[in-house]
Amino acid sequence: MANVGLFLLVLLIITLQSMAEGFHKARLKLTEREITFPRWPLVEQMDEHLTTLKLILGSKDEIYAGGGRHLFRLNFQKNQGQTMVQRIPIPCDTVKTDCGITVMQPGRDGYPLFVCTAVKEVQQGTCCYKDVNGSTNCTSIYGGGEPALLTGEILYTTQSGVKDKDGIYRTRLYNVKDQMKPPSSRSDQQYVKIIERKLVSKLYAFYTEKNHDKDPDSDIFTPRVSQVCMADLGGSKETLQFQWTSQLSSRLSCGDPSRKLYYTELLDVAVLPSEDGADARVYGLFRNGWEMRAVCVYAMNDIDGVFNNSSPKPTKTLSRRPGECVQESRNLPSDLLIYMRNDPEMEDWVGPIGHSNPLLVSRSQYSHIQVGRVEGTEGQEGHNVLLLSTECGAVHKVLENSSDPFIIAEYHPFKPGTHILSMLLDSSQKKLYVSSNAEVVQIDLRNCNVYGDQCADCILARDPYCGWDRNQKRCSTYSEDSIQDVEDGNVHKCTDGPVIDPSTEGPQQGDADTIDISESSRHFLPCPVHSHHAEYRWMQGGEERQSIMDSQQEQLVLLIDGMRAEDEGLYQCEAREGDYRKTVVQYELRMSSAVGGLKSSPLALALLLLLLLFTLLR
Ligand SMILES: *[C@@H]1O[C@H](CO)[C@@H](O)[C@H](O)[C@H]1NC(C)=O
Ligand SMILES: *[C@@H]1O[C@H](CO)[C@@H](O)[C@H](O)[C@H]1NC(C)=O
Ligand SMILES: *[C@@H]1O[C@H](CO)[C@@H](O)[C@H](O)[C@H]1NC(C)=O
Ligand SMILES: *[C@@H]1O[C@H](CO)[C@@H](O)[C@H](O)[C@H]1NC(C)=O
């Protein structure tokens, strides 16, 4: 009797726990048991513990990874040869200490890569175009680092967390003297991303600024975007010479304005270009003081609109509007130049698209974001997919939906607890690269067979990259002939008919394994959990049997606590998701009279205790 009491208590705890977790959990957990993640170890090649690692796409299935004093070319192509982790020499190789990569950008003109290195505390850096054979074309720059942007021979860099020197810098390669600096001394800025907008010839920089305000009610951080004109040549000899004359900033708003609840620390930014190039979407990943994360989406046009139309603070009557791009900034009136020296900020904040709430709010400790798009076919809507890495080494694949984001899967390419340093999406190949300080792993976003081998499994996955191939009868890369329902995951699309009957899905009645259990002995029936959005239960003779969810092993366990004649029969583990039902596994139990069965009691009891312990400690 005590056993049953304990059992019910455990069930209660489990139910309460799953209610608290809510429905925003990943539908599938995908580990190396389900997928092989192609990976390249870096750690054997290094004598240094990396804290940053940047990834740049090379040609197909090829990645450049650089950090500290190390630069590698990694080839993830199948049937690869031996020398596919290639070390590329950088100028630091000749300098002993404190030298490291500061900038890494895609190259041009047959040079796939552009890399800058600098010795710490030295303002000057060396930048080189590099080809795969290590051949180079080098020049020096004035400093600054990532986030950076190379457009033609113009290199934009940023400086973060350097006292009085934070901001945006510009250098013309092969002409170190031609450079631009921030208009004022700033500290405690942390730059996250810089983006060029060719349409208006402006550059936008996204960053978090630490507040010096001692008011305990105000947030520690302010997230901001600032603009500079790409044609800016600096001010007159007297004011702002070689310094930005067009820099304006605005606050980014992400949160619930009605409750004055904001996410203020900008952690990462991803950009999704629009089809016509006109209005890209900017995805910001934020954190608040309670370790909550939020993703807000901004339209480039809205950002531009704030800089065009809002009035800058402090309000002042000036001879012309601040921040407009002009041909010759050196001739700007001095009242404007003097005003720009104080780093004006716009009155209006930049709000998310449609003034909406965050797209996603989560307790998962997200650190990086990438965004991909899957175009629809034949008048079908396309879909956006967010890829979010967590602080403990996992990656969430999330279907964007303004009302209800859906976590398609949680990938576990690393050991639990691994710190992810960077993430890069190859949109053309639909592959995601994720790096720790020890390795780079590739995740194929079109790995569709993991969802299962039934049409319903494929539809329930709601993965825009995948669809049910009716000819090959498998879940594979989405095409216009696929059966798919990303919006609702409606399994009726598979049959054009009524609810799928469990007797037609999964194992058939005759397939049940028979298990002989001796009288009075204990036995466990495991049922593997695939979808965390489904409800699993053990059924026998049309009745549900009490069972335990073993979250560690991801299985639903039915305990036969002393085999009796009434326990004989067919046991089926059934999964229900929406109105889809399926038999996952089934067993036929028979009582054998022989004494001392397969599973002896002490072992069964020990297992039960372990299960309880796991559940309670979770
Ligand atoms: C680099 O090496 C490849 C073969 O490995 C060769 O085809 C190419 O011509 C070389 N490029 C230069 C610039 O030497
Ligand atoms: C290589 O360097 C020269 C200047 O020394 C420059 O004119 C040329 O554009 C550079 N090549 C590339 C690919 O940038
Ligand atoms: C902002 O001003 C620029 C330059 O006048 C213009 O090209 C752009 O379309 C404007 N954008 C918005 C959203 O008003
Ligand atoms: C969002 O999801 C709901 C169902 O959860 C669906 O009805 C709706 O069409 C989706 N919206 C978009 C824009 O995909």
Side-chain angles (χ1 to χ4, degrees):
M1 253 354 251
N3 258 357
V4 176
L6 203 54
F7 199 95
L8 289 177
L9 181 68
V10 170
L11 274 181
L12 180 70
I13 291 170
I14 293 166
T15 316
L16 288 176
Q17 269 189 354
S18 41
M19 276 163 67
E21 271 170 21
F23 205 62
H24 282 283
K25 58 183 173 187
R27 182 171 175 270
L28 298 193
K29 289 207 170 81
L30 301 172
T31 65
E32 224 137 11
R33 266 186 299 184
E34 291 85 17
I35 307 185
T36 42
F37 298 103
R39 62 181 68 231
W40 278 121
L42 303 176
V43 75
E44 293 139 33
Q45 341 259 335
M46 294 189 297
D47 51 358
E48 186 182 10
H49 185 85
L50 296 184
T51 51
T52 60
L53 186 78
K54 183 154 180 183
L55 303 174
I56 298 273
L57 293 178
S59 51
K60 188 168 178 282
D61 285 327
E62 188 183 75
I63 274 281
Y64 293 94
R69 278 180 288 116
H70 304 275
L71 179 61
F72 302 102
R73 178 178 166 221
L74 311 172
N75 195 324
F76 282 86
Q77 220 143 33
K78 294 209 177 87
N79 345 309
Q80 56 231 169
Q82 298 278 284
T83 56
M84 284 300 143
V85 180
Q86 181 194 344
R87 176 182 282 278
I88 299 178
I90 56 170
C92 283
D93 295 340
T94 55
V95 186
K96 294 289 162 282
T97 50
D98 266 359
C99 180
I101 293 174
T102 52
V103 172
M104 224 174 120
Q105 293 283 309
R108 61 179 182 130
D109 298 342
Y111 291 96
L113 207 58
F114 177 84
V115 180
C116 302
T117 56
V119 178
K120 253 184 222 152
E121 315 298 334
V122 176
Q123 282 300 327
Q124 204 101 336
T126 306
C127 297
C128 302
Y129 282 99
K130 291 200 163 278
D131 79 1
V132 293
N133 309 349
S135 153
T136 59
N137 186 350
C138 298
T139 181
S140 46
I141 62 156
Y142 177 74
E146 291 282 346
L149 183 76
L150 178 65
T151 72
E153 293 208 338
I154 308 288
L155 176 68
Y156 295 88
T157 57
T158 52
Q159 195 112 261
S160 303
V162 182
K163 194 170 186 305
D164 295 337
K165 292 226 161 61
D166 285 355
I168 310 163
Y169 292 77
R170 186 180 74 194
T171 308
R172 183 177 294 276
L173 302 181
Y174 311 110
N175 186 359
V176 201
K177 291 221 175 73
D178 185 351
Q179 52 158 290
M180 291 287 288
K181 289 194 264 184
S184 62
S185 298
R186 289 288 152 139
S187 308
D188 293 326
Q189 293 182 337
Q190 194 66 44
Y191 283 82
V192 171
K193 185 102 183 168
I194 55 183
I195 301 168
E196 173 189 15
R197 193 166 191 226
K198 289 208 176 80
L199 195 71
V200 290
S201 305
K202 282 181 183 175
L203 188 88
Y204 297 108
F206 296 84
Y207 61 99
T208 300
E209 189 163 323
K210 211 169 174 177
N211 295 330
H212 298 287
D213 191 341
K214 295 287 184 288
D215 178 1
D217 284 341
S218 68
D219 280 306
I220 311 171
F221 299 107
T222 307
R224 287 205 173 89
V225 53
S226 66
Q227 68 144 50
V228 294
C229 295
M230 298 180 90
D232 200 336
L233 295 171
S236 63
K237 272 212 174 66
E238 294 73 38
T239 318
L240 291 184
Q241 193 181 24
F242 306 129
Q243 289 167 293
W244 301 112
T245 65
S246 55
Q247 182 171 314
L248 293 174
S249 72
S250 167
R251 198 183 148 144
L252 289 170
S253 144
C254 179
D256 184 350
S258 66
R259 289 161 63 204
K260 287 206 160 56
L261 205 68
Y262 292 106
Y263 293 83
T264 53
E265 191 185 357
L266 183 62
L267 300 175
D268 197 12
V269 163
V271 183
L272 189 67
S274 65
E275 285 112 281
D276 54 4
D279 198 15
R281 288 156 73 90
V282 175
Y283 290 74
L285 169 65
F286 295 83
R287 166 163 67 191
N288 72 6
W290 293 276
E291 279 296 327
M292 297 276 292
R293 303 293 196 276
V295 175
C296 281
V297 191
Y298 308 91
M300 275 293 208
N301 262 337
D302 293 347
I303 297 174
D304 207 26
V306 167
F307 289 124
N308 277 7
N309 305 318
S310 172
S311 40
K313 293 184 291 189
T315 355
K316 198 160 186 225
T317 318
L318 296 162
S319 48
R320 62 175 300 156
R321 187 177 165 82
E324 282 180 337
C325 296
V326 294
Q327 288 257 303
E328 184 43 272
S329 59
R330 288 173 288 203
N331 298 341
L332 283 170
S334 62
D335 67 325
L336 185 76
L337 290 177
I338 289 165
Y339 181 76
M340 295 311 284
R341 217 165 43 183
N342 296 323
D343 233 346
E345 179 172 354
M346 311 314 288
E347 191 85 51
D348 293 349
W349 295 10
V350 172
I353 289 174
H355 305 286
S356 59
N357 287 327
L359 194 67
L360 175 74
V361 169
S362 176
R363 287 209 167 273
S364 299
Q365 305 202 343
Y366 296 135
S367 57
H368 297 86
I369 183 169
Q370 293 280 283
V371 182
R373 180 161 180 84
V374 187
E375 293 302 342
T377 49
E378 277 183 64
Q380 293 274 350
E381 289 266 333
H383 296 279
N384 301 335
V385 175
L386 316 185
L387 297 149
L388 291 149
S389 67
T390 71
E391 292 282 8
C392 53
V395 174
H396 279 178
K397 186 189 212 179
V398 184
L399 174 67
E400 176 182 336
N401 178 314
S402 47
S403 59
D404 191 15
F406 179 79
I407 306 180
I408 299 167
E410 180 175 293
Y411 296 98
H412 289 270
F414 298 110
K415 279 204 217 83
T418 304
H419 185 58
I420 289 177
L421 292 185
S422 58
M423 201 165 64
L424 180 68
L425 175 66
D426 182 348
S427 313
S428 67
Q429 301 297 317
K430 317 289 184 208
K431 300 216 170 101
L432 182 73
Y433 294 90
V434 191
S435 75
S436 68
N437 64 24
E439 47 184 1
V440 181
V441 175
Q442 186 193 58
I443 299 177
D444 186 351
L445 298 178
R446 296 193 288 202
N447 210 327
C448 302
N449 58 346
V450 293
Y451 297 124
D453 51 15
Q454 305 288 334
C455 176
D457 296 325
C458 191
I459 301 297
L460 286 169
R462 293 178 63 191
D463 187 335
Y465 290 101
C466 301
W468 181 253
D469 183 331
R470 12 180 148 222
N471 301 320
Q472 303 223 17
K473 302 225 175 306
R474 61 193 187 97
C475 195
S476 63
T477 305
Y478 173 67
S479 75
E480 57 184 291
D481 297 327
S482 305
I483 304 178
Q484 193 199 52
D485 183 20
V486 172
E487 276 85 10
D488 299 310
N490 184 349
V491 294
H492 299 182
K493 292 246 165 126
C494 287
T495 51
D496 291 327
V499 181
I500 295 165
D501 182 40
S503 62
T504 63
E505 289 272 32
Q508 300 297 301
Q509 290 265 340
D511 297 344
D513 283 339
T514 305
I515 302 175
D516 291 308
I517 302 164
S518 52
E519 189 171 356
S520 315
S521 69
R522 285 198 174 90
H523 193 83
F524 288 99
L525 295 179
C527 173
V529 168
H530 182 59
S531 165
H532 293 267
H533 288 184
E535 241 179 77
Y536 287 79
R537 50 183 168 182
W538 273 107
M539 305 290 290
Q540 186 216 355
E543 304 251 326
E544 186 180 351
R545 295 280 305 240
Q546 271 183 352
S547 48
I548 305 176
M549 182 59 76
D550 171 6
S551 324
Q552 210 72 20
Q553 298 296 318
E554 304 202 337
Q555 56 186 2
L556 183 71
V557 182
L558 174 80
L559 170 69
I560 306 285
D561 191 20
M563 184 71 183
R564 296 162 305 169
E566 306 93 277
D567 293 327
E568 282 191 327
L570 181 68
Y571 288 74
Q572 295 184 303
C573 175
E574 185 189 286
R576 277 172 187 266
E577 192 165 353
D579 50 10
Y580 174 62
R581 285 189 297 153
K582 150 178 180 173
T583 302
V584 185
V585 287
Q586 54 183 0
Y587 297 101
E588 179 79 39
L589 295 198
R590 278 196 319 222
M591 191 172 80
S592 60
S593 44
V595 186
L598 289 168
K599 311 264 170 188
S600 67
S601 281
L603 183 66
L605 198 61
L607 265 167
L608 175 67
L609 284 175
L610 259 175
L611 262 177
L612 292 180
L613 210 63
F614 273 139
T615 314
L616 289 169
L617 290 178
R618 202 162 66 98

